[in-house]
Amino acid sequence: MEVTDPKGRCNYCNIYAGRDKVKTCSRCRLVRYCSKECQVAAWKAHKPRCTSSLRESLAKDPEANALNTALSKWINNWRFELHNWAVWAMDLANNPEDRLATHCLVIELERRPNPPNQSLYFKMHGGDIVTRERFLARLRELDELDDEIVASVNERRSNDTAQIIVICEDLIRFLWFSLRDGGASLRQRDSAFSRALAQGWERDLIEAINTGQPAFSSVHSMRARSKVNVVPSPT
């Protein structure tokens, strides 16, 4: 998968348009859109987070600012691999067509002391595929639910757009990405191979993240392929 400059990617449709084509939100300067249509479509979920005082509040809390910066760098480093793992974990060939619209991939991280590089900023200690309703229920049980989170979790895009939720301490990040060809090739994939990819995804993703090896996804794919002895179609 080609790695592209994250600052050239639309935060709504996830299409790479190039840094000179995307426009940065003039209020918060934290998100970018490739078109006015994407900006308008994203506004309902983005509005609660779009405050001109956001950077000021982070500046007043150096520790929170450091965590926020580190998480942003880590996500940019792992974003494309996380997309692969999310698709595999969803097992689209063996689940209803609206699975992406009803479920999300949740990844829980913790800070690593004195990390040597961006890939090792965090350790993963858990992950799950849950319905959006179940994720909100978890946060409600922990008394960590607010309108901003509800709006982000419940944002509906389409049946070919997946949602990844990254949690680290008090920070929650929401990532979306659209599948090429609407996900048709993944839904038509050999069901045994799709099931094999979904099995053990959490274990192998933890190993990949905790050893700082984004390319470990190829090992997981080979393991799944060997179980069913099929040649998969490209992701």
Side-chain angles (χ1 to χ4, degrees), residues 14-138:
N14 201 46
I15 290 176
Y16 181 76
R19 189 181 292 210
D20 60 333
K21 297 291 180 62
V22 296
K23 301 297 182 182
T24 303
C25 176
S26 60
R27 293 185 65 200
C28 66
R29 311 296 298 174
L30 295 174
V31 295
R32 301 167 182 83
Y33 302 107
C34 65
S35 66
K36 185 68 175 179
E37 290 74 17
C38 280
Q39 183 181 16
V40 171
W43 177 242
K44 183 177 180 180
H46 177 56
K47 183 178 179 180
R49 302 191 295 274
C50 186
T51 60
S52 58
S53 61
L54 177 59
R55 289 191 172 184
E56 294 178 11
S57 64
L58 288 174
K60 294 176 182 177
D61 187 341
E63 184 175 352
N65 187 45
L67 176 60
N68 181 65
T69 300
L71 188 58
S72 294
K73 291 180 178 179
W74 183 89
I75 287 174
N76 283 337
N77 196 67
W78 282 90
R79 181 184 299 271
F80 299 101
E81 288 300 322
L82 291 179
H83 293 176
N84 275 337
W85 289 93
V87 168
W88 294 341
M90 289 288 186
D91 189 12
L92 298 182
N94 296 295
N95 281 287
E97 189 167 331
D98 66 348
R99 184 166 174 80
L100 294 180
T102 59
H103 289 68
C104 55
L105 172 68
V106 180
I107 296 174
E108 298 181 55
L109 304 174
E110 61 183 68
R111 277 189 277 191
R112 187 192 301 267
N114 304 315
N117 55 58
Q118 291 182 11
S119 292
L120 290 168
Y121 274 170
F122 299 93
K123 293 192 297 183
M124 176 179 170
H125 60 79
D128 201 0
I129 295 290
V130 297
T131 64
R132 300 184 185 204
E133 289 75 14
R134 178 55 189 151
F135 177 71
L136 291 175
R138 285 184 184 178

Side-chain angles (χ1 to χ4, degrees), residues 130-158:
V130 297
T131 64
R132 300 184 185 204
E133 289 75 14
R134 178 55 189 151
F135 177 71
L136 291 175
R138 285 184 184 178
L139 295 183
R140 192 174 292 112
E141 292 169 2
L142 298 173
D143 196 26
E144 294 181 357
L145 201 59
D146 59 34
D147 292 342
E148 175 186 342
I149 293 175
V150 172
S152 295
V153 173
N154 286 331
E155 182 178 352
R156 293 292 190 267
R157 297 199 176 181
S158 68

Side-chain angles (χ1 to χ4, degrees), residues 161-218:
T161 303
Q163 183 182 62
I164 302 173
I165 301 176
V166 180
I167 303 173
C168 183
E169 298 180 16
D170 294 331
L171 290 181
I172 300 179
R173 291 291 186 85
F174 297 89
L175 311 176
W176 288 268
F177 69 96
S178 298
L179 305 182
R180 67 181 185 185
D181 73 11
S185 60
L186 295 170
R187 293 184 176 92
Q188 296 167 9
R189 169 178 272 166
D190 179 89
S191 61
F193 180 65
S194 180
R195 188 177 298 109
L197 282 171
Q199 293 171 349
W201 73 266
E202 181 188 15
R203 176 201 63 220
D204 284 356
L205 180 55
I206 287 176
E207 183 173 351
I209 289 176
N210 292 356
T211 57
Q213 300 181 67
F216 191 81
S217 58
S218 61

